[in-house]
């Protein structure tokens, strides 16, 4: 009997779709043993790309506080059985994108994902920890079991991507910008192509196993937790909650007071990026000898269930 794999996701720029296609290509190649069903999660009113400046930041409070949007109906039978669900999402303001967040909060998701093993796939810059924590909770609420997580992050370093990624979102161009001073945004082509290694292991496990799937991707370097951003994500998430609550209190996205405060928030954000973020990085570096064990424990927690290990890759090289 064929194993059935459902692939769910929303890709605004198209990058996540390419990552997903790379991962599932070995599954599609095993069509005699595996049936792959792709089901996009689509908003009824598409989000623009590139983003207009005000629209981009105006979606920030609604993303953080999970204001639902209207989604197109799924074209699949939500009561059907699947041996594996692959859930693919991007990160907006340290949260899952609004289409995916809305879907995971829906009754449809509870019906579709109940008792299903789930592999999450994230394509983003290097800050994804808080978003995945929210997705973990939503999957638990749906009765699903998270068995693996795959994260592909931007090729630019942590500081450079603070500028490269927003420029990509607002201009539609990955860059590089300013003659290379701001590097190219997005996940590298090599990382996208090499993501097929995950699909190869998933394919083999599906074909070989007659029991419910467990963690499969240990040793494949499925995730890499940047210890420099753990504390920064927590601080930023608290800040997003405070500013988001203020902006929501000013009315809907069309509200003039809300749009005016958006510019104040943007100014605050730039100041934070140029002052607090570098200072926080310096403090963490100075405290590293004292906090090493605590940070390692945090990295292990956030890397689960797949982990950061690359032992399998090293054996193959």
């Amino acid at each position: 009997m064929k194993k059935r794999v459902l692939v769910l996701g929303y890709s605004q720029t198209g990058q996540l779709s390419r990552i997903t296609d790379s991962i599932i290509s070995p599954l599609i190649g095993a069509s005699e043993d595996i049936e792959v069903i792709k089901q996009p999660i689509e908003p009824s009113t598409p989000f623009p790309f590139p983003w207009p400046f005000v629209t981009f930041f105006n979606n920030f409070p609604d993303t953080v506080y999970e204001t639902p949007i209207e989604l197109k109906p799924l074209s699949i039978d939500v009561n059907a059985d699947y041996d594996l669900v692959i859930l693919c999402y991007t990160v907006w303001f340290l949260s899952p994108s609004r289409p995916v967040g809305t879907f995971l909060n829906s009754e449809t998701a509870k019906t579709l994902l109940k008792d299903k093993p789930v592999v999450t796939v994230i394509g983003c810059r290097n800050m994804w920890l808080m978003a995945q924590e929210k997705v973990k909770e939503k999957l638990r609420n749906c009765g699903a079991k998270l068995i693996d997580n795959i994260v592909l992050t931007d090729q630019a370093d942590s500081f450079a991507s603070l500028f490269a990624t927003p420029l990509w979102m607002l201009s539609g161009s990955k860059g590089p910008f300013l003659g290379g001073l701001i590097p190219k945004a997005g996940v590298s082509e090599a990382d996208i192509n090499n993501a097929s290694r995950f699909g190869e292991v998933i394919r083999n496990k599906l074909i070989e196993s007659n029991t419910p799937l467990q963690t499969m991707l240990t040793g494949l370097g499925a995730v890499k937790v940047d210890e420099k951003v753990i504390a920064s994500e927590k601080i930023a998430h608290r800040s997003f909650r405070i500013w988001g609550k203020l902006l929501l209190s000013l009315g809907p996205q069309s509200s003039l007071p809300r749009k005016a405060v958006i510019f104040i928030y943007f100014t605050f954000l730039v100041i934070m990026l140029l002052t607090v973020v570098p200072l926080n990085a310096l403090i963490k570096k100075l405290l590293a000898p004292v906090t090493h064990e605590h940070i390692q424990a945090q990295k292990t927690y956030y890397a689960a269930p797949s982990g950061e290990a690359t032992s399998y890759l090293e054996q193959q090289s």
Side-chain angles (χ1 to χ4, degrees):
M1 181 180 294
K2 279 189 178 183
K3 299 296 178 68
R4 304 182 78 231
V5 178
L6 176 64
V7 182
L8 297 166
Y10 167 73
S11 179
Q12 184 188 20
T13 67
Q15 175 178 263
L16 185 63
S17 292
R18 296 185 59 232
I19 292 170
T20 303
D21 287 344
S22 178
I23 292 171
I24 67 173
S25 58
L27 308 181
I28 294 174
S31 57
E32 291 185 2
D33 301 294
I34 300 171
E35 179 185 4
V36 177
I37 301 95
K38 295 178 70 174
Q39 172 61 65
I41 299 169
E42 298 179 285
S44 295
T45 302
F47 286 96
F49 183 75
W51 286 92
F53 177 87
V54 174
T55 304
F56 178 74
F57 284 99
N58 222 341
N59 269 278
F60 139 64
D62 295 284
T63 301
V64 173
Y65 279 92
E66 302 182 0
T67 304
I69 59 172
E70 184 179 346
L71 298 175
K72 292 182 180 179
L74 301 185
S75 59
I76 58 172
D77 178 4
V78 298
N79 294 299
D81 195 23
Y82 299 96
D83 297 280
L84 177 66
V85 176
I86 300 177
L87 175 67
C88 310
Y89 73 95
T90 52
V91 177
W92 293 7
F93 302 101
L94 304 184
S95 299
S97 66
R98 289 189 69 188
V100 172
T102 296
F103 168 74
L104 288 175
N105 287 333
S106 69
E107 292 301 316
T108 298
K110 290 179 181 178
T111 301
L112 183 58
L113 299 179
K114 183 174 174 56
D115 299 326
K116 304 295 191 303
V118 176
V119 174
T120 47
V121 176
I122 308 170
C124 65
R125 61 179 301 269
N126 67 335
M127 299 179 78
W128 53 270
L129 307 179
M130 297 299 101
Q132 182 67 352
E133 287 301 291
K134 294 178 182 181
V135 169
K136 286 180 186 176
E137 181 180 3
K138 295 179 191 306
L139 290 175
R140 285 194 295 269
N141 291 340
C142 289
K145 181 182 179 182
L146 177 65
I147 62 170
D148 275 298
N149 183 29
I150 301 168
V151 184
L152 272 64
T153 58
D154 281 17
Q155 56 200 308
D157 63 41
S158 180
F159 186 73
S161 67
L162 286 171
F163 303 94
T165 302
L167 284 172
W168 174 26
M169 296 297 104
L170 296 172
S171 71
S173 170
K174 287 188 174 184
F177 303 93
L178 301 179
L181 185 63
I182 298 176
K184 187 176 181 179
V187 177
S188 72
E189 290 299 312
D191 284 348
I192 292 175
N193 293 332
N194 289 337
S196 62
R197 71 185 186 275
F198 303 117
E200 291 170 2
V201 172
I202 293 171
R203 174 197 62 203
N204 295 339
K205 293 290 185 181
L206 279 166
I207 294 173
E208 296 167 2
S209 178
N210 291 316
T211 59
L213 294 174
Q214 306 293 326
T215 298
M216 301 175 284
L217 304 180
T218 302
L220 286 173
V223 305
K224 181 172 177 56
V225 178
D226 186 348
E227 63 187 49
K228 298 188 295 295
V229 305
I230 295 175
S232 298
E233 278 212 43
K234 294 179 179 179
I235 293 169
H237 186 257
R238 285 194 291 269
S239 174
F240 284 171
R241 297 283 297 180
I242 293 169
W243 279 94
K245 188 173 184 178
L246 170 62
L247 287 162
L248 286 176
S249 72
L250 297 174
Q253 292 192 10
S254 59
S255 165
L256 289 178
R258 176 164 160 172
K259 289 181 178 179
V261 175
I262 285 287
F263 287 96
I264 298 174
Y265 169 70
F266 175 72
T267 303
F268 164 81
L269 190 60
V270 171
I271 293 171
M272 287 279 289
L273 293 177
L274 296 178
T275 58
V276 175
V277 171
L279 179 61
N280 186 47
L282 176 61
I283 292 172
K284 283 186 290 186
K285 188 172 183 179
L286 293 173
L287 293 177
V290 180
T291 59
H292 177 73
E293 289 187 9
H294 175 66
I295 291 174
Q296 291 306 308
Q298 286 186 308
K299 288 186 67 177
T300 299
Y301 167 76
Y302 287 119
S306 301
E308 295 186 283
T310 58
S311 52
Y312 181 84
L313 297 178
E314 292 164 3
Q315 293 172 9
Q316 302 303 307
S317 62

